[in-house]
Amino acid sequence: MTVMRSISTAIKAAAISLTAIAAAGTASAANLTIMLSQNDNQAAALEVLLRKYKQVAPHVNVTLNVVGFNVIRDQLKGQLEAGVGPDIALVVDLGGLNPFYVDLTPHVNVAEWEANYGAVLPWYRAGKPNGIFAFHSELTVTGPFVNLTKFEDAGVKLPPPGATWDDWAEATRAVKKATRTYAGMVMDRSGHRFAGPAMSYGAAYFDAGGSLAVDAGFRSFAERMVAWHKEGLMPADIWPAVSGATYANGNDMFAAGEVPFHMAGSWNVGSVDRIVGDKFDWAVVPVPCGPSGCGVMPGGAGFVAFKHSANAQEAAKLVAWLGSTDVAREWYGRTGAIPAHAKLQAEGIDYTAHGLSPKISKALNVFVAGAAKAQVQTPQAFRLQGHQFGFVMYNATVQFLAAVMNNRMTMDDAMARISEELKTKAR
């Protein structure tokens, strides 16, 4: 088998093609494409595993199409609606793409998958009572990264576990002033990132009838976000500067030492470790809290097979194989991901066996603890993550709160517009 790498100028992404010369007389070769986003070493890890899959299914040839995150978030659904696109993808709109998924049930031990992946399988069902539609390849948890060196230079103590968002605002404000740092806190431009903190301040995200909704708790944290941007504690470069519902993150600002607090999540650990290097000392800290708890948003991504594929069952078999216990163990270890697999969570993953540092392992454990606390304090986070129209809420949050930050509408207007979006697009 050979491995070929090329650059697609149309999408400006790497394509990794794994092919093999089929044995003479073989007429059942299946050609599959897998779309995934540019996220640390996931493509490299998948390449290793696909070499092993060749021994299991030598007739299957796979091409990896590595694209920007926005391609999967904003363009994949349109491709699937048109009956085109990849055979398999690593998706984040877990419930929203359910109509296009192949059910993996014929290819897995259902009882084993329910026992090990039962907490996340409903996220892909979009309200359906059963079906196994994905290998959840990365359980993510939102939370903050902190520049410890900045705090030390400023002589400011880190707020303790259980500290509020207001406590952290005060602390980072002091760091910003003492070190003349550009900003104090940055949050990825994402309604998903916003949701956990909003739940800390009482946002239920669902009304009494079970429909998505905004409320006083949502507004309470939204007003804090707007105020922090107005004073410059949060930078104008992320939420206010980008149009519509476009995603943007604070990685570069954090890595450059321009902000001592970055609200991102567990998927970012490897990237932070790599791009920060030895420029400063950093750590993941427990998420700040509010009067209603310490909210984080779970989530992540999963491999799914699509019905439009000419080789839909072969695609489903490959996804099922990736989610098998031994293969999943290697995937989580190589990618530095929190396992969604209950048995592997209990066993623990030896990340250092795949070259990851003890520092990364410690950071991941902080995120795991945050997820466990959120299951008790803000259970609506897990319900929201699996909702078919979760992205309607996330996109409306970003679009209309940014408009408030840019003085294009009032908070009253933003709350009304978000509610209108939910009524028209999330039903």
Side-chain angles (χ1 to χ4, degrees), residues 73-347:
R73 197 189 79 160
D74 301 331
Q75 300 178 26
L76 177 59
K77 186 173 184 178
Q79 294 177 17
L80 297 173
E81 290 173 338
V84 297
D87 304 283
I88 296 169
L90 186 56
V91 301
V92 292
D93 186 2
L94 310 183
L97 298 179
N98 173 273
F100 307 104
Y101 297 158
V102 180
D103 192 343
L104 308 182
T105 298
H107 309 296
V108 303
N109 181 320
V110 174
E112 182 179 326
W113 275 59
E114 288 284 358
N116 287 322
Y117 294 110
V120 298
L121 291 178
W123 291 351
Y124 295 87
R125 291 174 177 156
K128 296 177 181 178
N130 49 44
I132 295 176
F133 297 105
F135 158 48
H136 197 72
S137 59
E138 180 182 16
L139 180 64
T140 61
V141 183
T142 54
F145 293 76
V146 171
N147 184 328
L148 299 177
T149 302
K150 283 285 185 184
F151 273 82
E152 183 178 352
D153 290 347
V156 176
K157 291 183 178 180
L158 291 180
T164 67
W165 277 95
D166 291 337
D167 294 333
W168 275 96
E170 182 179 352
T172 56
R173 189 178 290 114
V175 172
K176 177 179 181 291
K177 181 178 180 180
T179 61
R180 297 185 178 181
T181 304
Y182 179 60
M185 299 190 293
V186 64
M187 178 185 289
D188 290 346
R189 195 178 195 269
S190 162
H192 180 273
R193 235 63 85 237
F194 173 92
M199 291 173 188
S200 299
Y201 283 82
Y205 273 84
F206 295 91
D207 62 20
S211 297
L212 289 171
V214 292
D215 55 18
F218 181 100
R219 179 169 184 149
S220 178
F221 190 73
E223 289 174 340
R224 282 171 166 79
M225 283 280 289
V226 171
W228 292 334
H229 280 87
K230 296 288 187 184
E231 73 165 277
L233 183 65
M234 284 187 160
D237 312 59
I238 304 297
W239 279 64
V242 185
S243 63
T246 303
Y247 170 80
N249 68 55
N251 271 3
D252 290 342
M253 294 186 68
F254 183 74
E258 295 176 345
V259 59
F261 179 105
H262 177 201
M263 181 62 177
S266 58
W267 62 89
N268 207 35
V269 170
S271 178
V272 169
D273 190 57
R274 184 183 68 254
I275 63 179
V276 170
D278 59 1
K279 288 187 289 187
F280 56 81
D281 192 18
W282 62 272
V284 171
V285 297
V287 69
C289 305
S292 297
C294 309
V296 303
M297 277 299 293
F303 286 102
V304 297
F306 296 120
K307 294 176 180 178
H308 77 268
S309 170
N311 296 292
Q313 292 307 312
E314 288 292 353
K317 289 178 184 178
L318 174 50
V319 173
W321 180 82
L322 288 170
S324 60
T325 298
D326 289 341
V327 180
R329 180 186 292 110
E330 183 172 355
W331 167 265
Y332 291 129
R334 287 185 178 277
T335 59
I338 297 171
H341 187 292
K343 180 181 178 181
L344 297 179
Q345 287 177 350
E347 289 179 0

Side-chain angles (χ1 to χ4, degrees), residues 11-37:
I11 58 175
K12 298 181 180 179
I16 306 169
S17 178
L18 287 93
T19 62
I21 299 175
T26 299
S28 58
N31 298 314
L32 303 176
T33 58
I34 302 179
M35 179 183 287
L36 69 162
S37 63

